[in-house]
Amino acid sequence: AAFGALALPRSVARIADAAGVETGGVAGSVRVQALALLALAVIRVWLGDDSPDLAATMKELDVRLAQAETWARRLPYRPPPIGATPSAAPAAAAAALRPADDPPAG
């Protein structure tokens, strides 16, 4: 349990970094901890969700993401430095999830 408690925030921070979410500084640390708590809340429901469509899990995820969005609006936003190159990870993830017969947006 202790290992998981240490590994989850690190994993969440890596995923957030890849998605272009600021994880540095105090506000970034708060974001990572909040996302880790969101993941724990959803995992708790998922473990008990035996339905084929995972309806309870999806509902919990929707509720928690809405809460996270509300809280995120309250944190200060610091844009990336001028000249910083955005991460290619979000575009790569979107391309990987796009159906093969769906042309790229643009």
Side-chain angles (χ1 to χ4, degrees), residues 34 37-38 41 60-74:
L37 289 172
L38 180 149
E60 184 72 12
L61 181 59
D62 287 343
V63 167
R64 297 300 178 167
L65 287 174
Q67 288 175 340
E69 187 175 359
T70 298
W71 281 97
R73 288 187 184 134
R74 295 178 184 178

Side-chain angles (χ1 to χ4, degrees), residues 3-105:
F3 175 75
L6 296 175
L8 183 63
R10 256 184 298 192
S11 296
V12 167
R14 286 182 177 178
I15 294 167
D17 280 336
V21 175
E22 177 66 42
T23 59
V26 174
S29 180
V30 170
R31 284 183 190 99
V32 168
Q33 294 302 318
L35 288 170
L37 289 172
L38 180 149
L40 286 173
V42 174
I43 290 168
R44 180 185 56 80
V45 172
W46 174 70
L47 288 172
D49 189 356
D50 295 331
S51 65
D53 63 354
L54 298 173
T57 301
M58 294 300 112
K59 180 179 179 184
E60 184 72 12
L61 181 59
D62 287 343
V63 167
R64 297 300 178 167
L65 287 174
Q67 288 175 340
E69 187 175 359
T70 298
W71 281 97
R73 288 187 184 134
R74 295 178 184 178
L75 291 175
Y77 172 72
R78 192 177 82 215
I82 295 175
T85 56
S87 170
L97 294 174
R98 188 180 311 114
D101 60 345
D102 188 18

